[in-house]
Amino acid sequence: DAGVTQSPTHLIKTRGQHVTLRCSPISGHKSVSWYQQVLGQGPQFIFQYYEKEERGRGNFPDRFSARQFPNYSSELNVNALLLGDSALYLCASSTGRGRANQPQHFGDGTRLSIL
Amino acid sequence: AQSVTQLDSHVSVSEGTPVLLRCNYSSSYSPSLFWYVQHPNKGLQLLLKYTSAATLVKGINGFEAEFKKSETSFHLTKPSAHMSDAAEYFCVVSDPSDFQGAQKLVFGQGTRLTINP
């Protein structure tokens, strides 16, 4: 079975632009989470979606938004890009609604560079 | 809020020798704990998880971890290092968010494991 897939793999943008990142979860997984990993640090939680609704949000500004579609795929949108948004954006999926002991399965990420 | 501290930013061992990656956690709940590995330019792969069953947890590729509540530790070990083990390792605690039951993973800063031939 295919794992979590993310697109694009790399992206270069300039300050002030907006970007859309895409994620397809593992088949049968209904929950999608987004994480930001700045170089040299551990990933930071941005959002979790389950059944097309936002179930959790990390400490990120309103420039960050996301949505989940009926097929459980997801998009992460970032507006008014800043240099500090340069990072690896990771998508993770899990089987159901936020039980703490459920492992999340990660894609390979989208590397976003802001010039 | 839950947190994780990985005590070593970089560990270097020789091939065939034991590996120890140290992790302490802080949790106000009965925690769920995970170890993930990240190879260069790749996503994160689950190595093992602790979810309040056996305190000694076996994972993939010969790794195991022991949950010690009294020490709030969850150290990762492997008896014999392999060149392919060279990667970044993250200790993770699951934080059940109070916002409609979301599950937020809280990551440590990571430990870079180098294997010397």
Side-chain angles (χ1 to χ4, degrees):
Chain A
D1 286 342
V4 176
T5 58
Q6 293 186 243
S7 63
T9 54
H10 294 86
L11 204 51
I12 299 175
K13 293 286 188 178
T14 57
R15 283 178 294 174
Q17 287 188 310
H18 72 272
V19 68
T20 298
L21 310 180
R22 295 178 175 82
C23 171
S24 292
I26 291 171
S27 177
H29 285 192
K30 297 183 178 181
S31 179
V32 170
S33 299
W34 288 95
Y35 293 81
Q36 180 196 64
Q37 185 178 20
V38 173
L39 195 63
Q41 298 183 18
Q44 299 287 319
F45 173 76
I46 309 176
F47 287 110
Q48 185 176 58
Y49 276 75
Y50 176 78
E51 292 285 11
K52 296 170 286 182
E53 292 187 15
E54 182 181 304
R55 301 294 182 173
R57 185 185 184 107
N59 188 24
F60 281 81
D62 292 343
R63 298 185 297 108
F64 288 77
S65 64
R67 54 180 176 167
Q68 187 177 31
F69 299 99
N71 66 354
Y72 304 111
S73 67
S74 177
E75 285 182 353
L76 175 70
N77 295 285
V78 187
N79 293 325
L81 287 166
L82 304 174
L83 292 178
D85 295 331
S86 294
L88 180 67
Y89 289 85
L90 294 163
C91 174
S93 73
S94 60
T95 53
R97 179 175 173 173
R99 292 203 315 271
N101 61 0
Q102 286 180 342
Q104 294 186 13
H105 301 270
F106 286 81
D108 285 344
T110 294
R111 174 74 62 188
L112 175 62
S113 299
I114 310 301
L115 302 180
Chain B
Q2 307 198 75
S3 65
V4 172
T5 302
Q6 293 184 240
L7 300 173
D8 306 291
S9 59
H10 184 207
V11 169
S12 180
V13 302
S14 298
E15 189 175 20
T17 64
V19 174
L20 170 63
L21 305 183
R22 298 182 295 163
C23 171
N24 287 349
Y25 69 91
S26 171
S27 173
S28 54
Y29 303 91
S30 179
S32 290
L33 295 160
F34 308 86
W35 276 97
Y36 282 84
V37 61
Q38 186 175 35
H39 288 92
N41 300 312
K42 287 290 188 181
L44 296 147
Q45 180 184 18
L46 178 68
L47 279 178
L48 49 81
K49 67 175 184 178
Y50 166 76
T51 57
S52 75
T55 57
L56 184 62
V57 181
K58 293 188 183 299
I60 63 172
N61 301 333
F63 285 94
E64 62 182 36
E66 185 172 9
F67 174 73
K68 292 186 176 180
K69 186 175 181 178
S70 61
E71 299 177 9
T72 60
S73 68
F74 190 57
H75 301 334
L76 181 71
T77 60
K78 182 173 181 177
S80 177
H82 207 268
M83 293 300 292
S84 60
D85 295 329
E88 189 87 15
Y89 291 78
F90 292 96
C91 182
V92 181
V93 64
S94 180
D95 183 355
S97 166
D98 58 3
F99 180 73
Q100 296 191 36
Q103 178 205 23
K104 178 178 73 172
L105 297 184
V106 178
F107 286 76
Q109 289 291 91
T111 298
R112 182 162 58 95
L113 177 62
T114 301
I115 312 297
N116 302 310

